[in-house]
């Protein structure tokens, strides 16, 4: 193992020196980054943990991300997903991984940068869908870590940090990614559309840097012509604006409601509008977008970052996250669209709507709910409802 480690460090050093020789006008800045990266890589990984014990293999996986062979890169990133990031939990080794991953984003020799960006998002916040539709609250994350360590001695806190999982590690990972957002921002304008979309998606989770990130996202939004890219940018900007408490007018949604854009863009507009104000108008827009997705058989789109492509789930989350009054408005809107929604085939959508209807039942609405069960969702079992 030690021989392999030394050989690996020599390969890394040779690789970094090659990069340094090609760094051009920014030589001094690049040399400083190289020094930091190399220092990070020389950390005593044997003393760090991943999900299965010693993190001594992590540096080897990081180097494999620089390979020209896509199969080597894919195996490396998949292994990092099961070790450093494991079932949504981050180990202390993740904090040290972050800096080197950002260094890779700066290198012209590295391929598949969108996968590295997506991995950085998960190191920062865990599974993104678990933070929707509210987004993240960095202050609450830090407070939760403080509360977990309250009453611990210094030695206990140190030991806790090196455990398999701790809230403090989550905070540190988030802060490490946040600290280097200036590297991600220019990538929102990258020629590669995959890298652009991943960079825009990543910036959406850092409300403390919202105003600067929005400059890049909204500027790129003006240049996008492909519907999935436009939708992804609208969702990212909308989430960032919502988390930061800024005005939704910054997004100028009315521009994207016309026929010039397809159902993906209309769905994104409906999601953002519904998140800020779940009224009858926004509810109708959300339900109409569900209908469009059903007719076009577009319940899943790999080119949408949010909800891992199951963007219809985002619509359902918005519909169900409001007050009781807004949920009753959803019921009334569904009643108005019974004929349309007989066609919905997605079981996840059906059961989410049924669950919503069950939540808002009362004497006044029971008749409408029964009507929906009878006409709109005839194959569902009556025992899914507990009507008075």
């Amino acid at each position: 193992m030690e021989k392999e480690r030394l050989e690996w460090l020599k390969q890394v050093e040779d690789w970094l020196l090659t990069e340094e020789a090609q760094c051009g006008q920014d030589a001094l800045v690049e040399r400083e980054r190289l020094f930091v990266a190399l220092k990070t890589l020389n950390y005593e990984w044997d003393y760090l943990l991943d999900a299965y014990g010693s993190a001594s293999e992590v540096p080897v996986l990081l180097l494999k991300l620089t390979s020209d062979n896509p199969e080597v890169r894919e195996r490396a990133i998949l292994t990092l997903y099961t070790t450093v990031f494991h079932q949504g939990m981050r180990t202390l080794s993740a904090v040290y991984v972050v800096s080197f991953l950002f260094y890779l984003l700066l290198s012209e020799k590295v391929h598949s940068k969108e996968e590295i960006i997506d991995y950085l998002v998960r190191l920062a916040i865990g599974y993104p869908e678990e933070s929707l539709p509210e987004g993240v609250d960095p202050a609450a994350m830090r407070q939760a870590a403080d509360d977990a360590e309250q009453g611990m001695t210094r030695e206990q806190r140190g030991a806790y940090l090196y455990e398999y999982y701790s809230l403090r590690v989550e905070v540190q990972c988030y802060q490490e990614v946040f600290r280097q957002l200036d590297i991600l921002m220019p990538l929102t304008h990258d020629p590669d559309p995959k890298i652009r979309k991943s960079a825009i998606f990543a910036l959406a989770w850092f409300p403390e840097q919202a105003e600067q990130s929005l400059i890049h996202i909204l500027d790129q939004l003006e240049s996008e012509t492909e519907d999935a890219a436009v939708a992804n940018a609208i969702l990212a900007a909308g989430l960032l604006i919502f988390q930061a408490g800024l005005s939704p007018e910054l997004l100028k949604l009315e521009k994207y409601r016309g026929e010039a854009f397809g159902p993906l863009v209309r769905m994104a507009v409906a999601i953002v509008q519904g998140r800020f104000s779940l009224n009858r108008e926004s509810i109708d827009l959300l339900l109409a977008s569900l209908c469009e997705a059903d007719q076009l058989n577009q319940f899943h789109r790999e080119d949408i970052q949010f909800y891992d492509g199951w963007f219809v789930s985002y619509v359902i989350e918005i519909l169900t996250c409001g007050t009781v009054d807004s949920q009753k408005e959803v019921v009334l809107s569904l009643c108005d669209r019974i004929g349309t929604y007989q066609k919905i085939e997605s079981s996840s959508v059906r059961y989410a709507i049924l669950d919503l209807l069950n939540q808002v039942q009362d004497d006044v609405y029971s008749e409408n709910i029964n009507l929906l069960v009878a006409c709109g969702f005839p194959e569902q079992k009556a025992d899914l409802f507990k009507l008075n």
Side-chain angles (χ1 to χ4, degrees), residues 133-153:
E134 297 296 327
V136 298
D137 185 344
M141 290 170 61
R142 290 190 289 267
Q143 186 61 54
D146 291 342
D147 292 344
E149 296 173 10
Q150 193 169 8
M152 290 184 183
T153 65

Side-chain angles (χ1 to χ4, degrees), residues 11 43 77 80 84 130 150 208 223 241 259 262 316 331-332:
Q11 291 179 54
Y43 191 84
I77 196 76
L80 286 169
V84 175
E130 293 181 357
Q150 193 169 8
E208 293 173 313
S223 305
I241 290 169
E259 293 300 319
I316 296 299
V331 172
L332 291 175

Side-chain angles (χ1 to χ4, degrees), residues 234-295:
I234 289 173
L235 291 174
L239 178 61
L240 196 52
I241 290 169
F242 177 79
Q243 293 171 112
L246 301 175
S247 170
E249 296 300 319
L250 288 170
L251 194 45
K252 299 178 182 178
L253 288 175
E254 63 277 0
K255 178 179 179 180
Y256 302 97
R257 293 194 179 106
E259 293 300 319
F261 298 97
L264 286 176
V265 175
R266 288 193 287 274
M267 179 171 285
V269 170
I271 287 170
V272 173
Q273 182 172 326
R275 192 66 197 93
F276 280 95
S277 178
L278 196 58
N279 53 31
R280 189 65 183 266
E281 178 188 359
S282 59
I283 289 168
D284 284 342
L285 286 173
L286 287 162
L287 294 176
S289 68
L290 274 182
C291 180
E292 284 192 298
D294 179 50
Q295 292 173 345

Side-chain angles (χ1 to χ4, degrees), residues 188-212:
T188 60
H189 314 294
D190 194 271
D192 188 327
K194 292 181 180 179
I195 294 175
R196 288 202 306 271
K197 279 189 280 189
S198 289
I200 288 171
F201 177 72
L203 292 179
W205 303 99
F206 298 90
E208 293 173 313
Q209 194 79 351
E211 293 185 6
Q212 188 174 352

Side-chain angles (χ1 to χ4, degrees), residues 83-300:
T83 54
V84 175
F85 178 92
H86 181 72
Q87 297 180 355
M89 295 179 285
R90 280 81 81 199
T91 56
L92 186 58
S93 55
V95 180
Y96 296 89
V97 165
V98 168
S99 293
F100 187 64
L101 292 180
F102 272 106
Y103 172 73
L104 295 184
L105 294 180
L106 289 167
S107 173
E108 295 296 327
K109 295 169 62 177
V110 173
H111 306 279
S112 304
K113 290 183 180 179
E114 70 278 3
E115 294 184 4
I116 294 172
I117 297 171
D118 293 342
Y119 186 63
L120 281 167
V121 171
R122 281 156 180 78
L123 291 181
I125 65 169
Y127 294 116
E129 57 271 19
E130 293 181 357
S131 295
L132 291 172
E134 297 296 327
V136 298
D137 185 344
M141 290 170 61
R142 290 190 289 267
Q143 186 61 54
D146 291 342
D147 292 344
E149 296 173 10
Q150 193 169 8
M152 290 184 183
T153 65
R154 182 177 179 179
E155 290 74 16
Q156 287 172 330
R157 283 197 298 272
Y160 174 63
L161 190 64
Y162 277 83
E163 288 294 329
Y164 166 68
Y165 165 76
S166 78
L167 294 177
R168 182 63 60 192
V169 166
E170 289 188 2
V171 172
Q172 289 186 354
C173 284
Y174 185 88
Q175 287 300 120
E176 274 299 299
V177 177
F178 173 79
R179 188 175 62 83
Q180 301 182 75
L181 288 185
D182 61 314
I183 296 174
L184 277 178
M185 289 179 186
L187 295 179
T188 60
H189 314 294
D190 194 271
D192 188 327
K194 292 181 180 179
I195 294 175
R196 288 202 306 271
K197 279 189 280 189
S198 289
I200 288 171
F201 177 72
L203 292 179
W205 303 99
F206 298 90
E208 293 173 313
Q209 194 79 351
E211 293 185 6
Q212 188 174 352
S213 294
L214 282 169
I215 292 173
H216 290 271
I217 295 173
L218 296 179
D219 180 58
Q220 185 58 39
L221 178 57
E222 292 290 328
S223 305
E224 294 291 357
T225 57
E226 196 262 328
D227 273 9
V230 172
N232 198 68
I234 289 173
L235 291 174
L239 178 61
L240 196 52
I241 290 169
F242 177 79
Q243 293 171 112
L246 301 175
S247 170
E249 296 300 319
L250 288 170
L251 194 45
K252 299 178 182 178
L253 288 175
E254 63 277 0
K255 178 179 179 180
Y256 302 97
R257 293 194 179 106
E259 293 300 319
F261 298 97
L264 286 176
V265 175
R266 288 193 287 274
M267 179 171 285
V269 170
I271 287 170
V272 173
Q273 182 172 326
R275 192 66 197 93
F276 280 95
S277 178
L278 196 58
N279 53 31
R280 189 65 183 266
E281 178 188 359
S282 59
I283 289 168
D284 284 342
L285 286 173
L286 287 162
L287 294 176
S289 68
L290 274 182
C291 180
E292 284 192 298
D294 179 50
Q295 292 173 345
L296 297 173
N297 193 26
Q298 289 184 326
F299 283 106
H300 181 255

